[in-house]
């Protein structure tokens, strides 16, 4: 058992290194793109939504508020879309070598985590530049990250296994991700929506809940969180239940299908 | 499982669903579910295999293309899981069945060494310790910092091989490793096999190369159409495999039969019960020919070795005077020749009938008879030179 674990860890490390080496191959700026990309995307969204459409005027530190949301969302969408094709694109390994299949999904999730780390650095730099007050509640941020990681991992496992058999999943997921980009309060503050029932429904999305909580503990207290809308801090348990359900369903589905990856790819 | 058993396969079978039109889209899956139509064929790749491989054995798996031997190897490697039955492995198994799996053309040779090492279970540190040995063995020192896609295929194989032999496993599974590489590489492979044998490793090898099977294996199995036909000594398996190949050639060639006016009703080999001959014997073939119209019957033969090598073709023209045979009459011809002219092996005989000197045969049927030469005189090639050696003292 311990040997298997050691093998998995060695392999995981090399796969992540390979992923990282290959990602920006042939580009002049190389790894710098990991930082440049979110930065430039942020500049565009900032110009469009803050300067152009003047959304979020009443919220303090809205640019950081916006940036944090984008970074968290990018992590989720990047991790799920990369993991989705991870099993199929590593078909050569799966058909010829006996390796733990979950390692492959895990390695692309870790690549996404590394990117998240770099992006959060950008957020930190902006927080320093714009003199956002650091709040003590910020120490809970890692818990929120853990929550969205587990949520994304469950979704990723499910998608990666389903994609082996049904290649439509890729396109369907693209559409779903796009839809949720707008259904999650990323580029608009939740206060734009006045109907409280609608707010309640939108916050059932763990990404929305996590994002609002992260903003409220890091950027500004003037964020509508799940606890506020539902009137009780226990509301987060609903979110937690959803995350755990997604994770377990993804894991069980993946485990059931993993035996047949080699012959189905 | 007993302690001295390395691999135990009990009643393992594997089914593949071969879709007629691979439904990789949800639409077709939904449609097919709705119509309740089976759009796949079930292929039984392996049918209830039972096999036990002991520790320290060098075990060969032999079979024609599509017989299921690679599927069996993948079951042993736990890449596929069996539909029924079970596979028990006692010891550490190499995860590889082929060379160079997991090589990434976009990475340099050096990076690939570490990646491949990780697939074998070596940490970065462990790989660093053996890196120089690997490079030296592969003889590609100055290419290590180039991308793998710029390597020749020979260089890639050498690199893959020198990593693969570092594997610290008790049981090795090897699929067609000898099919790649030049003579020098094969020699390296062979000396590696010798070493494995010396170190009492358990090795399961799949190969078409009967010489290698006979040379290294302590036991072998013949698989055909998903069944384990025979398990026994490598020599026996090799013989059976060659026979199977020869009989399959017969079947496939049957379409070329010509039949216009005359027929060899029987072509039999005289003088031996099992059509097996030693070097001292004489091989005699007897033709029974009937004609449908009056022609000058002249039989001939083509002799082909079991690996497809054409040996000789001849007719009776030079030795038998032509004579008209009336319709419906049965004529008997014989031809005899010494067995020592052949190299050890199995040969098949095509029957031919000509109408006197017309170059187009009136009858042709491939593989009407076959014979085997069981001894050899330490010669190789196509035929055995009828010769005499002397030393002048």
């Amino acid at each position: 058992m311990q040997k298997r674990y050691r093998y998995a860890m060695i392999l995981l490390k090399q796969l992540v290194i390979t992923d990282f080496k290959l990602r920006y191959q042939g580009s002049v700026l190389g790894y710098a793109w990991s930082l440049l990309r979110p930065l430039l995307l942020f500049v565009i969204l900032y110009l469009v939504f803050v300067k152009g459409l003047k959304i979020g005027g009443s919220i303090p530190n809205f640019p950081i508020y916006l940036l944090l949301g984008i970074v968290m969302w990018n992590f989720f969408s990047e991790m799920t879309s990369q993991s989705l094709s991870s099993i199929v694109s590593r078909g050569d390994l799966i058909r010829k070598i006996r390796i733990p299949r979950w390692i492959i999904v895990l390695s692309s999730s870790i690549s996404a985590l590394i990117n998240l780390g770099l992006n959060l650095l950008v957020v930190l730099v902006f927080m320093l530049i714009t003199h956002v007050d650091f709040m003590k509640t910020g120490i809970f941020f890692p818990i929120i990250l853990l929550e969205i990681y587990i949520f994304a991992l469950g979704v990723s496992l499910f998608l990666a296994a389903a994609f082996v058999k049904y290649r439509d999943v890729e396109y369907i997921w693209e559409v779903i991700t796009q839809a949720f980009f707008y259904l999650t309060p990323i580029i608009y503050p939740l206060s734009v929506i006045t109907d409280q029932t609608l707010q309640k429904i939108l916050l059932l999305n763990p990404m929305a809940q996590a994002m609002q909580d992260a903003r409220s503990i890091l950027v500004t207290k003037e964020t509508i969180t799940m606890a506020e809308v539902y009137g009780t801090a226990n509301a987060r348990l609903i979110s937690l239940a959803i995350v755990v359900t997604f994770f377990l369903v993804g894991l069980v589905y993946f485990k059931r299908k993993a035996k047949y990856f080699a012959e189905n790819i | 499982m007993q302690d001295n058993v390395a691999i135990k396969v009990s009643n393992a079978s594997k089914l593949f669903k071969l879709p007629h039109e691979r439904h990789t889209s949800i639409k077709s899956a939904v449609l097919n579910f709705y119509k309740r139509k089976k759009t796949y064929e079930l292929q039984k790749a392996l049918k209830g295999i039972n096999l036990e491989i002991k520790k320290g054995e060098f075990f060969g798996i032999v079979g024609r293309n599509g017989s299921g031997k690679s599927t069996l190897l993948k079951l042993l490697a736990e890449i596929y899981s069996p539909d029924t039955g079970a596979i028990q492995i006692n010891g550490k198994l190499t995860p590889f069945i082929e060379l160079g799996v997991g090589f990434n053309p976009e990475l340099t040779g050096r990076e690939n060494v570490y990646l491949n090492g990780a697939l074998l279970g070596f940490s970065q540190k462990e790989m660093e310790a053996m890196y120089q040995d690997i490079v030296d063995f592969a003889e590609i020192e100055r290419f290590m910092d180039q991308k793998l896609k710029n390597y020749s295929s020979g260089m890639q194989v050498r690199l893959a091989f020198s990593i693969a032999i570092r594997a610290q496993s008790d049981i090795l599974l090897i699929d067609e490793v000898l099919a790649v590489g030049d003579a020098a590489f094969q020699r390296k492979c062979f000396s590696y096999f010798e070493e494995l044998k010396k170190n009492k490793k358990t090795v399961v090898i799949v190969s078409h190369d009967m010489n290698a099977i006979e040379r290294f294996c302590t036991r072998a199995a013949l698989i055909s159409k998903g069944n384990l036909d025979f398990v026994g000594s490598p020599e026996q398996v090799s013989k059976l495999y060659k026979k199977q190949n020869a009989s399959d050639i017969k079947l496939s060639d049957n379409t070329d039969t010509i039949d216009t006016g005359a027929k060899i009703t029987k072509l039999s080999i005289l003088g031996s019960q099992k059509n097996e001959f030693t070097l001292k014997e004489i091989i005699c073939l007897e033709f029974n020919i009937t004609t449908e119209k009056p022609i000058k019957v002249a039989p001939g033969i083509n002799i082909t070795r079991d690996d497809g090598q054409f040996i000789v073709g001849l007719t009776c023209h030079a030795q038998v005077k032509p004579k008209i045979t009336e319709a419906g009459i049965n004529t008997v011809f014989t031809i005899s020749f010494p067995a020592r002219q052949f190299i050890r092996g199995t040969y098949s005989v095509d029957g031919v009938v000509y109408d006197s000197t017309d170059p187009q045969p009136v009858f042709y049927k491939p593989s009407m008879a076959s014979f085997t030469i069981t001894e050899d005189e330490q010669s190789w090639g196509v035929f055995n030179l009828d010769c005499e050696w002397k030393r002048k003292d």
Side-chain angles (χ1 to χ4, degrees):
Chain A
M1 194 61 211
Q2 207 178 349
K3 270 184 188 166
R4 272 189 100 115
Y5 177 74
R6 181 178 174 266
Y7 177 59
M9 285 306 117
I10 287 171
L11 198 55
L12 185 61
K13 190 178 159 199
Q14 282 300 326
L15 287 177
V16 171
I17 291 174
T18 310
D19 263 5
F20 208 70
K21 274 180 184 154
L22 290 175
R23 176 166 299 177
Y24 294 106
Q25 225 183 29
S27 64
V28 181
L29 294 177
Y31 304 133
W33 278 115
S34 291
L35 292 171
L36 265 176
R37 217 172 118 249
L39 212 63
L40 293 174
L41 287 175
F42 167 67
V43 168
I44 294 171
L45 291 169
Y46 179 74
L47 290 177
V48 172
F49 290 94
V50 181
K51 293 291 167 201
L53 298 174
K54 305 236 189 293
I55 298 177
S58 66
I59 292 174
N61 300 318
F62 188 68
I64 298 296
Y65 184 97
L66 180 62
L67 182 61
L68 185 62
I70 291 167
V71 163
M72 287 172 76
W73 180 259
N74 274 355
F75 164 69
F76 178 78
S77 82
E78 190 189 302
M79 175 165 154
T80 49
S81 68
Q82 274 171 15
S83 305
L84 182 144
S85 57
S86 62
I87 294 289
V88 170
S89 62
R90 291 258 181 208
D92 57 328
L93 290 187
I94 287 176
R95 268 189 304 249
K96 299 282 165 63
I97 314 180
R98 168 183 45 97
I99 51 171
R101 275 67 171 118
W102 52 270
I103 284 293
I104 292 171
V105 178
L106 209 60
S107 90
S108 48
S109 83
I110 286 176
S111 298
L113 267 182
I114 292 173
N115 250 352
L116 173 68
L118 291 171
N119 288 352
L120 287 175
L121 269 180
V122 175
V123 177
L124 186 71
V125 170
F126 271 96
M127 283 172 84
L128 291 171
I129 294 172
T130 54
H131 303 293
V132 175
D133 288 331
F134 285 93
M135 294 183 277
K136 269 191 220 150
T137 46
I139 51 164
F140 293 113
F141 186 54
I143 295 175
I144 294 174
L145 289 184
L146 185 69
E147 181 198 347
I148 60 170
Y149 176 70
I150 289 180
F151 179 57
L153 193 59
V155 174
S156 295
L157 286 169
F158 181 85
L159 291 173
F163 187 55
V164 171
K165 198 140 189 219
Y166 303 108
R167 302 295 159 97
D168 311 45
V169 172
E170 188 179 6
Y171 308 112
I172 294 172
W173 186 244
E174 210 181 301
V175 174
I176 292 178
T177 321
Q178 194 62 50
F180 272 90
F181 179 74
Y182 292 105
L183 287 174
T184 312
I186 301 166
I187 49 174
Y188 57 87
L190 197 58
S191 53
V192 174
I193 291 154
T194 44
D195 183 354
Q196 214 183 11
T197 326
L198 201 57
Q199 279 187 355
K200 277 186 181 172
I201 293 171
L202 287 183
L203 278 170
L204 283 178
N205 167 10
M207 281 308 290
Q209 170 264 318
M211 206 173 281
Q212 292 302 90
D213 280 346
R215 283 162 165 170
S216 91
I217 61 170
L218 281 178
V219 188
T220 168
K221 287 253 159 42
E222 284 174 52
T223 311
I224 303 168
T225 61
M226 197 163 185
E228 274 171 46
V229 173
Y230 281 81
T232 163
N234 289 339
R236 289 203 187 88
L237 291 176
I238 305 173
S239 203
L240 193 68
I242 293 173
V243 168
V244 171
T245 310
F246 267 81
F247 179 72
L248 289 180
V249 168
L251 191 68
V252 169
Y253 182 73
F254 187 87
K255 278 205 92 150
R256 263 183 44 195
K257 297 288 168 184
K259 275 201 275 183
Y260 305 105
F261 284 166
E263 56 205 82
N264 282 333
I265 285 176
Chain B
M1 191 156 58
Q2 283 163 297
D3 230 24
N4 61 343
V5 175
I7 298 172
K8 190 176 179 185
V9 182
S10 18
N11 193 30
S13 40
K14 185 73 194 162
L15 274 174
F16 286 117
K17 283 181 188 174
L18 299 179
H20 287 142
E21 191 192 341
R22 197 181 153 80
H23 50 164
T24 46
S25 72
I26 286 175
K27 182 191 155 203
S28 55
V30 168
L31 277 178
N32 286 322
F33 181 76
Y34 180 67
K35 285 191 246 165
R36 294 188 184 268
K37 204 174 92 185
K38 265 193 206 164
T39 55
Y40 55 82
E41 233 171 283
L42 281 177
Q43 192 206 8
K44 287 182 181 163
L46 289 175
K47 305 167 191 165
I49 301 284
N50 286 297
L51 184 64
E52 208 174 73
I53 298 172
K54 299 222 160 50
K55 281 187 179 164
E57 272 195 301
F58 210 113
F59 195 89
I61 300 178
V62 172
R64 306 198 56 223
N65 289 334
S67 58
K69 59 187 188 310
S70 290
T71 307
L72 179 59
L73 203 67
K74 283 186 173 177
L75 279 183
L76 298 184
E78 294 172 356
I79 292 171
Y80 290 160
S81 55
D83 290 317
T84 67
I87 288 163
Q88 288 164 283
I89 306 284
N90 189 3
K92 196 181 167 221
L93 195 72
T94 37
F96 279 53
I97 55 167
E98 262 174 50
L99 284 178
V101 175
F103 267 1
N104 194 315
E106 291 295 332
L107 294 177
T108 66
R110 184 188 301 273
E111 289 163 340
N112 268 305
V113 169
Y114 286 101
L115 178 60
N116 232 252
L119 289 169
L120 280 176
F122 292 119
S123 70
Q124 188 113 8
K125 223 171 166 184
E126 289 168 311
M127 282 311 283
E128 268 157 27
M130 56 177 103
Y131 179 78
Q132 199 52 46
D133 287 345
I134 289 172
V135 176
D136 289 345
F137 191 79
E139 299 164 26
I140 46 170
E141 173 85 69
R142 63 197 184 89
F143 299 101
M144 290 313 287
D145 288 315
Q146 282 189 21
K147 280 187 186 174
L148 200 76
K149 63 179 175 187
N150 299 326
Y151 281 34
S152 73
S153 52
M155 277 154 63
Q156 286 191 25
V157 168
R158 287 212 300 275
L159 185 59
F161 184 70
S162 38
I163 303 168
I165 60 171
R166 306 280 149 181
Q168 304 281 326
S169 354
D170 315 313
I171 305 167
L172 288 100
L173 308 173
I174 306 171
D175 194 2
E176 288 297 352
V177 67
L178 298 165
V180 289
D182 53 11
F185 173 74
Q186 293 211 347
R187 267 200 299 282
K188 271 187 176 175
C189 271
F190 285 155
S191 61
Y192 173 57
F193 287 170
E194 295 286 6
E195 205 183 297
L196 289 176
K197 239 177 134 167
K198 216 170 63 194
N199 294 337
K200 292 276 173 223
K201 299 272 187 193
T202 312
V203 180
V204 181
I205 178 172
V206 165
S207 184
H208 285 293
D209 183 349
M210 288 308 125
N211 290 327
I213 295 277
E214 285 186 48
R215 183 167 157 192
F216 291 104
C217 293
T218 49
R219 223 152 54 101
L222 178 70
I223 291 191
S224 69
K225 294 181 188 127
N227 289 310
L228 209 56
D229 271 7
F230 182 79
V231 181
S233 78
E235 289 76 23
Q236 284 171 300
V237 168
S238 158
K239 209 176 192 175
L240 276 173
Y241 175 69
K242 284 178 180 164
K243 211 175 246 173
Q244 206 179 61
N245 259 341
S247 66
D248 282 346
I249 291 169
K250 264 183 219 168
L251 283 174
S252 62
D253 281 354
N254 261 350
T255 47
D256 300 335
T257 304
I258 301 170
D259 187 358
T260 51
K263 194 178 230 135
I264 300 176
T265 52
K266 205 172 145 206
L267 177 56
S268 40
I269 296 178
L270 307 178
S272 167
Q273 287 270 302
K274 285 153 73 189
N275 297 344
E276 284 177 4
F277 295 90
T278 58
L279 291 177
K280 287 191 196 90
E281 289 177 284
I282 301 288
I283 301 170
C284 184
L285 304 177
E286 188 184 78
F287 295 73
N288 283 283
I289 302 174
T290 53
T291 54
E292 288 164 17
K293 56 189 180 199
I295 54 169
K296 291 178 180 172
V297 172
I301 52 170
N302 288 331
I303 298 178
T304 314
R305 203 166 60 194
D306 62 353
D307 61 357
Q309 171 71 50
F310 179 66
I311 307 293
V312 66
L314 53 91
T315 70
C316 70
H317 286 128
Q319 295 181 17
V320 180
K321 266 192 191 150
K323 186 180 142 195
I324 290 193
T325 308
E326 293 303 326
I329 301 283
N330 182 46
T331 321
V332 177
F333 286 83
T334 60
I335 176 175
S336 54
F337 44 86
R340 65 168 187 279
Q341 289 172 309
F342 295 89
I343 307 274
R344 188 168 81 145
T346 300
Y347 297 84
S348 73
V349 182
D350 306 341
V352 198
V353 179
Y354 294 92
D355 179 5
S356 188
T357 49
D358 183 0
Q360 285 299 315
V362 292
F363 176 85
Y364 172 80
K365 194 172 174 190
S367 302
M368 293 191 72
S370 80
F371 60 87
T372 301
I373 309 296
T374 54
E375 289 180 334
D376 67 39
E377 215 171 53
Q378 305 229 324
S379 53
W380 50 93
V382 179
F383 74 104
N384 203 357
L385 188 65
D386 201 355
C387 61
E388 197 179 354
W389 287 98
K390 268 183 186 163
R391 175 159 56 199
K392 289 205 169 172
D393 290 320

